[in-house]
Amino acid sequence: SGNFRLAQSPKPFLYNFTAEANSIDPQEVITLFLKKPIPLFTTATGKLYINGIGKTFTVTGPVTVGEGSLYGERFTKGRVLLAINEKEVQLRNVFLEKGGAAFRGGIAHPAASASRMTAEGEGEISYQGDYRIAVKTSPLSLDKVDLFRSFQPAEAGPVYDAVVPVPDVLPNVSGEMTLSVEGKGSFKKPELKAIAAFENLQYKEASMDSGTVDVNWHNENVTIVSSFPKKNFSLTAKIGSNKPYPFSFKAHSASLPMHPFFPKKWLLMSGFSTLSLYAGGDISGKGNFETLQQIDLTGDLSTLSTTWGDYWLTNDGPITFSAQKGNFLIEKGSFKGINTDLTLSGRLAPL
């Protein structure tokens, strides 16, 4: 419903409408203004107010959204104050909620917890490809965050919703994460800053306790700074966003378990199902993701120990190594164990 009035020439015409949106696909509206669709899959309901004079117009209104996903992350419901004009799409008072229940065919799975997670924010997207975003979340249970589901063991049964398949449970990763994301720029040259604060982070037997990961995307480079003080772990890394995707990093840690990151099937097939491996020290490197086999590394490990059944082996002093263009050099490395006294030094070259 609304009004439409033709002004006397040469003045532009005026219009004023009210429209009801009932479970519509937001992509049908977004693609009218943006060249590339946003990976948003949901339904939207609300009353929209349309006003304009000639080519200048506004479309505003509160909109509620149903169950769906945004950039692959599922949510249960949400709301947003939508504002569209001749220059950009504005999203105000965005609120998305994700309940603890997983869904199979639209029916809540009884084994899921009832935890409630939320995200709030705002942003704009211009028709020229510029954007601004500001988002903050409540503490997110990592075993309910779809981003981490690639760590899920293959033997777990899947649960499906209308958008994306997800596993039933996620026992390998646990803990909580609070996320803050801010950024502005263009889609061709993104500018983003994200801060993730973790509590009780654990992957299988590898516990990292509490810490932060800061990600800064600036001038086509991604910088990552991570710190988990209670585990004496720190990491700095820089990654280029263009081919061949160059990277460099420096890491330091106390003794941390490495075996949880080995593929379980490989350990079983190779007879190393009881293998434990711990390492700690300093390591740095640089290379390109397109030619990882040519990575350059330098390392000075204070701890490198392993157990396999009743057998154990540990370093006897620091272990110094390096790698250049795929050639691995052990400069110093002594080990001791049950009936074992081993010293390694030399070069390993790829076949």
Side-chain angles (χ1 to χ4, degrees):
S1 64
N3 299 305
F4 182 87
R5 180 172 65 85
L6 287 175
Q8 294 182 353
S9 181
K11 293 183 179 181
F13 56 88
L14 309 177
Y15 50 93
N16 185 333
F17 291 93
T18 300
E20 293 281 350
N22 187 14
S23 297
I24 67 168
D25 182 355
Q27 296 291 354
E28 296 180 359
V29 177
I30 293 173
T31 53
L32 292 176
F33 303 97
L34 302 180
K35 295 180 180 179
K36 293 184 178 181
I38 298 174
L40 170 64
F41 301 94
T42 185
T43 57
T45 299
K47 181 178 289 187
L48 299 177
Y49 303 91
I50 306 169
N51 300 278
I53 302 176
K55 295 182 179 181
T56 302
F57 69 92
T58 60
V59 180
T60 60
V63 176
T64 60
V65 295
E67 182 186 354
S69 72
L70 176 62
Y71 286 94
E73 189 65 42
R74 296 178 307 150
F75 55 83
T76 307
K77 59 182 179 180
R79 63 178 184 267
V80 59
L81 180 60
L82 179 67
I84 303 174
N85 58 40
E86 69 278 4
K87 296 180 180 179
E88 61 185 9
V89 177
Q90 300 176 356
L91 304 174
R92 298 285 185 265
N93 301 330
V94 178
F95 181 86
L96 295 177
E97 178 179 336
K98 185 171 185 176
F103 287 83
R104 180 183 286 116
I107 301 175
H109 193 273
S113 69
S115 61
R116 178 176 178 265
M117 301 180 291
T118 62
E120 301 181 59
E122 63 176 21
E124 301 97 31
I125 304 175
S126 76
Y127 309 145
Q128 286 72 40
D130 297 323
Y131 71 90
R132 184 187 71 86
I133 184 175
V135 177
K136 291 185 178 181
T137 73
S138 67
L140 307 175
S141 298
L142 297 182
D143 59 349
K144 301 297 189 298
V145 177
D146 300 326
L147 173 65
F148 293 94
R149 295 185 184 272
S150 59
F151 296 98
Q152 170 68 14
E155 57 267 21
V159 175
Y160 294 90
D161 66 7
V163 180
V164 60
V166 295
D168 195 352
V169 291
L170 191 61
N172 284 347
V173 179
S174 62
E176 286 188 340
M177 174 184 70
T178 302
L179 182 65
S180 173
V181 180
E182 294 183 355
K184 62 180 180 179
S186 68
F187 290 108
K188 292 183 178 180
K189 292 185 177 181
E191 300 281 332
L192 283 174
K193 182 175 180 60
I195 301 176
F198 293 90
E199 294 288 339
N200 303 317
L201 176 62
Q202 182 162 336
Y203 177 68
K204 295 182 180 179
E205 307 101 291
S207 174
M208 295 299 293
D209 210 297
S210 303
T212 59
V213 178
D214 293 8
V215 180
N216 192 357
W217 194 340
H218 177 66
N219 286 339
E220 301 184 346
N221 290 303
V222 178
T223 302
I224 301 172
V225 179
S226 178
S227 176
F228 288 80
K230 292 184 178 180
K231 293 298 180 179
N232 195 16
F233 174 87
S234 62
L235 168 70
T236 59
K238 187 174 183 179
I239 305 171
S241 60
N242 297 318
K243 290 184 177 182
Y245 307 112
F247 67 89
S248 62
F249 72 93
K250 291 183 179 180
H252 170 82
S253 74
S255 181
L256 293 175
M258 299 291 106
H259 51 278
F261 300 95
F262 296 159
K264 184 177 180 180
K265 289 184 178 180
W266 179 84
L267 292 174
L268 292 173
M269 293 176 61
S270 60
F272 288 100
S273 58
T274 60
L275 176 72
S276 296
L277 178 65
Y278 290 81
D282 297 281
I283 185 171
S284 60
K286 62 180 181 179
N288 301 311
F289 278 108
E290 289 193 337
T291 55
L292 276 177
Q293 67 276 14
Q294 301 293 314
I295 188 174
D296 292 342
L297 292 173
T298 58
D300 190 355
L301 301 182
S302 57
T303 302
L304 183 61
S305 62
T306 183
T307 59
W308 181 33
D310 295 330
Y311 182 77
W312 60 268
L313 186 69
T314 186
N315 63 301
D316 186 15
I319 300 172
T320 305
F321 66 90
S322 62
Q324 291 184 345
K325 308 305 179 184
N327 295 304
F328 193 82
L329 175 64
I330 300 177
E331 299 177 10
K332 181 174 61 174
S334 298
F335 298 86
K336 61 182 180 180
I338 299 177
N339 299 321
T340 303
D341 190 355
L342 178 65
T343 299
L344 297 177
S345 65
R347 185 181 302 273
L348 295 175
L351 297 176

